[in-house]
Amino acid sequence: MKKIIIGMLLVLQGSIGISYATGCDYPNIDGVKWYHISDEKRAIYLEVYNIAAEKIKAEVESQKLQKGQWGIILDIDETTLDNSLNEYENYKTYEFNEDEYNKAKGVSLPGAKMLVNLVHNLGGYVSFVTNRNGEAKGRVEATVKNLKQEGIYFDQVIFANGEEKVAHNKNPRFKAIETGKYLDDIILTNKLPAHEVIAYFGDNIQDFPNMTQDNMRKVDDDGYSMFGKKYFMFPNPTYGSWQ
Ligand SMILES: [Mg+2]
């Protein structure tokens, strides 16, 4: 009986476009499958990183930015590293567990290496600001190891200092990068001198300065005018602050 109900719900989901079928055992499977194997996802990552590369080259040129004066900030998970394999292979039993990050099994996303190498070669700093919990045992080391084994260049990685909502607010960490003034409780691989940030990359609205689901829902399209110019967003239908 349960199978029949699930089957009916899946048919209903497909026919009228409900993204979440309440009662379905694996509500996330289409999002995870799309993220893990679709050609559309690969195309979008390359598209966004290619556009960003052109914008960054133009900005460095027009502002005559010198080495050490500027940089970019990227999120890690589902922006530069793809963590979808485990959920894709085990979707029936999958439950998110941040300790999975300690296995350092993320795979570099299309275009990510190209973009960070370009910034490095142009003389810019590459900073990662992640909400991986830097207080968790082995998390900092595993994250650095994963980025390195995937060939992702970086000058600095800054972590969340806990699991709480306040620790997930990236704005104080963005400010630290721009001012060069780091609070005592910040968890990071190393500090960098103050510099101008000319581009941000993320898969969550909160990866961008002063943006949240709530405040961005209230603005008109002009409030999103930085996207495609200085802010670059990737798709993540598998999890996020939109949930
Ligand atoms: Mg992310």
Side-chain angles (χ1 to χ4, degrees):
M1 186 62 185
K2 193 179 174 197
K3 275 185 183 162
I4 295 169
I5 292 170
I6 290 169
M8 285 167 68
L9 282 166
L10 285 171
V11 168
L12 197 64
Q13 182 185 9
S15 62
I16 60 174
I18 296 169
S19 56
Y20 276 84
T22 308
C24 171
D25 281 0
Y26 326 119
N28 216 17
I29 184 56
D30 276 343
V32 172
K33 187 176 180 183
W34 184 91
Y35 194 84
H36 192 68
I37 67 164
S38 79
D39 301 324
E40 289 83 355
K41 174 260 202 152
R42 186 179 179 197
I44 292 174
Y45 275 78
L46 288 168
E47 175 181 293
V48 173
Y49 274 126
N50 285 336
I51 290 169
E54 293 309 313
K55 296 284 181 188
I56 287 168
K57 279 190 267 186
E59 188 70 9
V60 170
E61 177 85 19
S62 72
Q63 280 203 59
K64 309 226 176 309
L65 294 171
Q66 302 298 311
K67 187 174 187 313
Q69 290 182 333
W70 64 282
I72 64 166
I73 296 178
L74 308 98
D75 172 55
I76 295 180
D77 298 306
E78 281 53 73
T79 294
T80 46
L81 290 181
D82 179 343
N83 301 289
S84 62
L85 176 64
N86 185 30
E87 185 169 2
Y88 179 72
E89 288 185 338
N90 303 289
Y91 72 93
K92 290 185 181 178
T93 55
Y94 178 82
E95 278 181 38
F96 176 72
N97 178 355
E98 212 189 292
D99 291 340
E100 283 292 313
Y101 292 141
N102 281 21
K103 293 179 182 168
K105 287 200 166 167
V107 176
S108 74
L109 279 154
K113 259 188 279 194
M114 174 280 293
L115 194 281
V116 294
N117 285 337
L118 172 85
V119 167
H120 179 53
N121 290 334
L122 288 173
Y125 287 121
V126 175
S127 294
F128 282 107
V129 175
T130 174
N131 277 343
R132 291 186 179 196
N133 181 8
E135 287 185 340
K137 193 168 185 290
R139 190 65 36 81
V140 171
E141 296 77 8
T143 301
V144 167
K145 179 183 168 191
N146 202 162
L147 289 168
K148 284 187 174 171
Q149 75 193 11
E150 286 302 301
I152 307 272
Y153 178 85
F154 61 89
D155 292 294
Q156 171 188 59
V157 187
I158 306 181
F159 294 79
N161 59 358
E163 304 275 6
E164 312 78 29
K165 199 175 172 190
V166 63
H168 282 195
N169 178 0
K170 292 187 171 184
N171 291 300
R173 287 173 279 164
F174 294 155
K175 199 174 166 198
I177 291 170
E178 291 201 293
T179 60
K181 292 179 185 143
Y182 295 83
L183 297 172
D184 290 341
D185 63 350
I186 204 161
I187 300 173
L188 75 177
T189 53
N190 55 288
K191 295 176 183 176
L192 293 175
H195 59 272
E196 182 187 353
V197 177
I198 68 164
Y200 290 80
F201 298 81
D203 64 296
N204 188 321
I205 200 77
Q206 295 172 181
D207 292 330
F208 303 91
N210 304 313
M211 290 186 174
T212 64
Q213 294 288 327
D214 281 350
N215 71 25
M216 293 310 286
R217 207 160 287 165
K218 292 179 189 130
V219 303
D220 59 19
D221 287 354
D222 289 343
Y224 287 76
S225 62
M226 300 291 267
F227 287 96
K229 295 173 188 154
K230 181 175 179 178
Y231 299 170
F232 299 92
M233 176 71 86
F234 298 101
N236 183 354
T238 70
Y239 66 89
S241 57
W242 50 271
Q243 290 171 301

